[in-house]
Amino acid sequence: MIGRWTKSALVAISLSAVPAIGAVQDDLDGAPGTMSLQVTTDPSMIECRKLETVNPASLMFLPLRRTFNEDFDEHPLSGGRWVPHYAGGAAWPEARYWGGDGSDFKRKTSANGEQQIYVDPRYTGRASAPLGLDPFKVKDGVLSIVASRTPQELKSVLFNNEYISGILTTQGRFAQKHGYFEIRAKVPVGHAVWPAFWMLADDGGWPPEVDVLEGRGERPGDLVMTTHWRIPSTQKIQSCGFDFAVGDASSTFHNYGVLWEEDRLVYFIDREPVSDIKVPIGFDDPMYLIVNLAIGSKFFVGVGPVDAESPPSVAFEIDRISAYQIDMEQARR
């Protein structure tokens, strides 16, 4: 989602349909307490590859146990699991998260060319009292993160951003090293629309970054899964990922996930592996979860700046977000 590097540093990207490799189909609608994923045991010496064909003899089942699950049966800010902004360091005063000049720093990534500000009912912007803006709507166990054009009378109060939208992160609330991380969602489309589910290191550093899912809003059905890391000797950012064609992604719920093993990252669509990469250097700390709906980009292909065709309102529908840890005891049996 840190899109400023995507254009210049993407070392491998291609468009493909989702391959059918035959993973275990554990109740795709739900998040069972335990489940197995079918993975390859090929040596993880491949820097980055699409899993278009897999040697059946190399496949094994990896047992997992659930460690986190959010079904969105209630407002996401009511249970203490999520925060509606990017978190900061110890020097950032608590009050600054909720308003005042400069508070928009934690509510958008300006370097990407984003044109939204992430709001929540407590946020005041430049006003003296909370604005009561809520981009999070829950109905029948589905969370909708709604992005809409900023009311003209609130433009100056909200730092002249074109849209208001929402972000949820678990930094300081939940983070995990290794395991399987999954979202079940419909991916919205439209000019300048940029939905994402991704992960960052809980210590606040960047990279590493794992983009489990990003939607290219101006290319319906085109989804991208990407890994980002830093080369220590040069300090340059490297990225590697692939696009996948999921034709009904905007109208049908699908599962998008990543399995983080000690030696590799494996990306999944509907619990079938679609790409993998040897774990790059720097993936040392637990990672936390982020889900958001950005509007506008300078660098991310398929997401341009806001224009007259950008929708007045658009929703990122999320059925659930889950995390699993690898059950090493079961795996050894």
Side-chain angles (χ1 to χ4, degrees), residues 77-301:
L77 301 182
S78 65
R81 285 182 156 189
W82 303 93
V83 292
H85 49 71
Y86 293 108
W92 186 266
E94 169 69 15
R96 290 289 299 281
Y97 288 120
W98 307 110
D101 282 343
S103 62
D104 58 329
F105 174 68
K106 297 296 182 184
R107 292 176 175 269
K108 65 183 298 182
T109 305
S110 297
N112 286 346
E114 295 175 17
Q115 294 175 266
Q116 89 293 321
I117 182 169
Y118 297 126
V119 297
D120 69 88
R122 288 180 60 186
Y123 187 57
T124 66
R126 287 189 171 121
S128 59
L131 298 172
L133 298 171
D134 192 352
F136 309 111
K137 313 300 180 185
V138 174
K139 182 179 180 181
D140 299 329
V142 173
L143 168 69
S144 293
I145 301 178
V146 180
S148 55
R149 289 190 180 265
T150 305
Q152 194 61 38
E153 66 273 16
L154 294 180
K155 271 284 188 72
S156 62
V157 176
L158 291 172
F159 308 95
N160 295 309
N161 288 284
E162 293 293 329
Y163 278 75
I164 55 176
S165 187
I167 188 171
L168 296 171
T169 90
T170 64
Q171 188 176 16
R173 310 292 177 92
F174 171 82
Q176 182 173 294
K177 185 174 183 178
H178 303 145
Y180 179 63
F181 308 86
E182 182 179 80
I183 186 172
R184 182 170 177 82
K186 295 179 183 177
V187 183
V189 298
H191 284 266
V193 175
W194 189 6
F197 173 58
W198 48 304
M199 298 159 56
L200 290 175
D202 201 45
D203 67 357
W206 181 84
E209 176 180 333
V210 175
D211 293 325
V212 185
L213 165 70
E214 293 181 279
R216 302 189 190 274
E218 293 158 24
R219 299 180 177 182
D222 183 0
L223 312 172
V224 62
M225 298 171 149
T226 312
T227 309
H228 306 266
W229 68 98
R230 188 187 303 274
I231 304 297
S233 60
T234 64
Q235 292 300 297
K236 289 184 177 180
I237 307 301
Q238 294 291 308
S239 303
C240 192
F242 298 97
D243 283 51
F244 298 95
V246 183
D248 63 349
S250 66
S251 60
T252 302
F253 285 107
H254 289 279
N255 295 333
Y256 306 94
V258 65
L259 175 66
W260 178 14
E261 298 181 273
E262 186 174 344
D263 61 345
R264 82 176 80 200
L265 292 159
V266 187
Y267 292 86
F268 290 78
I269 298 177
D270 287 333
R271 298 186 186 152
E272 297 200 1
V274 294
S275 69
D276 72 353
I277 180 174
K278 183 178 179 179
V279 173
I281 193 167
F283 280 70
D284 303 315
D285 296 305
M287 303 188 87
Y288 67 95
L289 310 176
I290 308 167
V291 60
N292 65 284
L293 178 53
I295 301 291
S297 172
K298 292 179 182 177
F299 307 113
F300 190 67
V301 176

Side-chain angles (χ1 to χ4, degrees), residues 21-24 36-46 49-62 259 261-268 271-278 326:
I21 298 177
V24 167
S36 296
L37 285 177
Q38 198 169 41
V39 297
T40 178
T41 59
D42 288 341
S44 56
M45 296 181 292
I46 304 297
R49 64 177 176 177
K50 271 189 306 182
L51 295 173
E52 296 178 299
T53 59
V54 174
N55 177 6
S58 74
L59 294 175
M60 64 167 286
F61 292 107
L62 187 67
L259 175 66
E261 298 181 273
E262 186 174 344
D263 61 345
R264 82 176 80 200
L265 292 159
V266 187
Y267 292 86
F268 290 78
R271 298 186 186 152
E272 297 200 1
V274 294
S275 69
D276 72 353
I277 180 174
K278 183 178 179 179
I326 299 168

Side-chain angles (χ1 to χ4, degrees), residues 3-32:
R4 56 188 168 141
W5 298 106
T6 305
K7 185 175 180 180
S8 59
L10 197 62
V11 296
I13 191 162
S14 68
L15 182 66
S16 71
V18 179
I21 298 177
V24 167
Q25 297 295 309
D26 290 282
D27 181 19
L28 292 178
D29 289 344

